Structure formats: structure tokens, C-alpha cells
Amino acid sequence: MSGPSPTLILGGFLITPEAYAPMAAAIAAHSHQPVQVVPASRGDWLLTSWSLGWRRLLDRSQALLEGLAAGSPSGKVNLVGHSSGGVMLRLLLGDEPFAGRVYGLRHRVDTLLSLGSPHSAIRGTALRRLVDQRYPGAFFAGSVRYLSVAGAIAPEQLRPRARRLMARSFGAINNDPGSRGDGLVPISSALLAGSEQRLLEGVGHGGWFAERWYGSATVLPQWVPWLAA
């Protein structure tokens, strides 16, 4: 590698790009490289119940990735995916057709880092299961560095509305409503098999869930430097 890599961020379900502005700024300050967030409206996310909705966001991600790679000192790009975004970005690396597209971009990717992403689930959506069936775990670890970050937060640290959701979400993902996690995704699902892994205590899934989440000012220093370690 000839230098640091720029970064592309794909956010999570129903979360619009402005929520990731502090995250983008922190990564840019650390890497001294451009950082972009994939544009995704709430309407775009509502369409992700179908494969064509995934393809819309993955096509945007591909275009931005290739633009960043063209000006990258390393010739590659770091990918950061929060929640569903971390699962979806795994498809960009593979060679199998998806909704009429073949992405095959692993040669342009330095690192794929996921934040609270539901990589595995007992009752996950068909599209998420497809990702794990085609490219289980750190499938391309020979050419891409995989990093996965999980949060763990006590129920009393969650906002009341999120506290009511936690047990149901954990039960659907790993059949253990009492397990630990970030309020939406249990640790067992967020830590991708075969990846380098980091657990952040007292961190919730998003701002809707808790005051401290992966993109909070006090949490960013716990994982952003790891991106370029």
C-alpha cells in the first residue's frame, strides 16, 4: 500500500446521511483522505425490502467507490457500514450476480468495517441470509481486511422506547432475548466470523436507541484509529 485510503460510508436502515457527518469528519481528520457518505433517503431504505432496492444503494456505492479509488494514494478504498449497510457492502466484494449486477470490487477495497451490523440471524430477512450464504464470514480475507465492531449496553442506558424493542429484536436474531448487544443487534450477530473484532461497552445501536452510539463524539475515537491500524 502506498498511502492511506479514502473512505465510503453506507448507513443504516432509515438513517439519513446527515447523521454520519461527525463520523465522516472524524475519519477524514484521522486519515487526511476524502470521506463520502452514500446518499440514502428514508424512501430509499423502505425499498430495501426488495433486491432492486438493495441494488439502487449498491449501484450508488459502486459509483462513489470507483471515484474515490481513482484518486486514492493506495488505489483502494475503506468501506464503513453501519447496521444494514455493513451487511450490504459485503455484496460489493463478490463475483456472483445480484439483481442483474456483478460488482466484484474487492480488488479496490482495503478494509471493510461494520458497526453493529446484523451479519447473522435465525430469522433474518431473505436478502441478509443470501449475503451470509454466498459470502460467509470474512470470505475474502485473503485480499480484504475485515473489521467488525459491536456495542454492548445495559437496558437502563437505553432510551425507554428502545428498551421495549431490545428483547424482541435479540430473540428474532439469535433466539436469546436476554443476550447482550447494542439494543438492536446482539454481539453474536455484529461480530463477523473470521474478522478482527472489537466490543464497545456502553454503546447503543444509534441515536434513537441511546445517547452514546457508534457515531457519538465520545465513541468515535474508540474505533476510528483502528480503521488505519
Side-chain angles (χ1 to χ4, degrees):
M1 191 189 306
S2 58
S5 300
T7 298
L8 181 65
I9 299 170
L10 179 59
F13 186 67
L14 296 182
I15 305 177
T16 48
E18 63 270 14
Y20 298 99
M23 181 183 296
I27 295 172
H30 185 80
S31 65
H32 304 288
Q33 288 294 309
V35 180
Q36 294 187 19
V37 181
V38 178
S41 68
R42 288 187 173 88
D44 289 326
W45 282 111
L46 289 173
L47 292 174
T48 58
S49 295
W50 299 274
S51 59
L52 289 179
W54 276 45
R55 197 183 82 179
R56 281 163 57 92
L57 293 181
L58 289 172
D59 286 354
R60 288 178 202 171
S61 301
Q62 178 183 23
L64 291 171
L65 186 158
E66 290 177 340
L68 287 170
S72 170
S74 67
K76 296 186 176 184
V77 175
N78 292 323
L79 298 177
V80 174
H82 173 228
S83 195
S84 294
V87 179
M88 295 171 69
L89 287 173
R90 291 163 61 192
L91 280 178
L92 285 183
L93 308 180
D95 297 321
E96 291 193 46
F98 175 79
R101 294 282 193 271
V102 175
Y103 296 104
L105 294 171
R106 61 186 174 277
H107 64 290
R108 294 184 180 270
V109 175
D110 183 1
T111 297
L112 193 161
L113 185 148
S114 61
L115 301 164
S117 296
H119 290 298
S120 59
I122 292 172
R123 289 185 289 279
T125 66
L127 289 170
R128 289 177 184 167
R129 289 199 305 271
L130 179 145
V131 175
D132 220 34
Q133 288 163 2
R134 287 189 179 180
Y135 311 114
F139 193 78
F140 296 109
S143 54
V144 175
R145 183 183 181 215
Y146 288 80
L147 310 173
S148 58
V149 180
I153 191 166
E156 57 270 19
Q157 292 177 289
L158 290 168
R159 304 190 194 279
R161 60 196 179 193
R163 205 176 303 157
R164 293 190 291 269
L165 172 67
M166 182 176 68
R168 186 166 70 250
S169 178
F170 287 3
I173 291 175
N174 69 358
N175 210 28
D176 182 5
S179 58
R180 300 185 72 221
D182 63 12
L184 184 70
V185 178
I187 295 169
S188 61
S189 178
L191 297 180
L192 181 67
S195 69
E196 298 176 54
Q197 302 175 352
R198 179 157 295 184
L199 178 63
L200 304 182
E201 294 286 348
V203 173
H205 187 77
W208 189 88
F209 289 82
E211 182 176 345
R212 296 179 73 247
W213 71 287
Y214 303 102
S216 296
T218 56
V219 178
L220 287 165
Q222 297 183 55
W223 65 263
V224 167
W226 190 42
L227 190 61

